[in-house]
Amino acid sequence: EIGWNGGYGNVIEVDHGNGLVTLYAHNKELNVEEGESVKRGQTISLMGNTGLVYGKTGINVHFEVRLNGVKKNPLLYLDM
């Protein structure tokens, strides 16, 4: 999914299969199109402050990991 999503502003959701989705929100610019396949390390967007950004957060990206629609701790899914 890609586009404007209310409070998230310009948002990209990447479907990784098996119910796993990552979400990137508040983007200034989206560099992929809906349905496009993406690869690890690919630039999919530029950080911004679109949508409902509270306080002095400035330019940022809101990152979520969801498993079957349930938000999960992203640290459990990052390969560091």
Side-chain angles (χ1 to χ4, degrees):
E1 182 176 329
I2 191 167
W4 184 268
N5 186 0
Y8 284 129
N10 287 325
V11 66
I12 294 174
E13 291 184 14
V14 177
D15 184 347
H16 299 270
N18 296 319
L20 185 65
V21 173
T22 51
L23 178 139
Y24 308 82
H26 303 308
N27 301 292
K28 173 183 178 181
E29 181 178 307
L30 306 177
N31 296 336
V32 293
E33 296 181 14
E34 187 168 2
E36 181 178 341
S37 293
V38 297
K39 297 177 183 165
R40 180 182 290 212
Q42 178 179 344
T43 300
I44 59 174
S45 66
L46 298 180
M47 294 189 304
N49 59 358
T50 61
L52 299 177
V53 180
Y54 300 102
K56 296 186 178 188
T57 57
I59 307 261
N60 71 93
V61 63
H62 175 100
F63 176 68
E64 289 182 11
V65 174
R66 297 178 182 169
L67 184 59
N68 298 318
V70 178
K71 293 179 186 178
K72 298 292 185 177
N73 181 345
L75 293 176
L76 300 175
Y77 296 86
L78 297 177
D79 187 19
M80 303 207 277

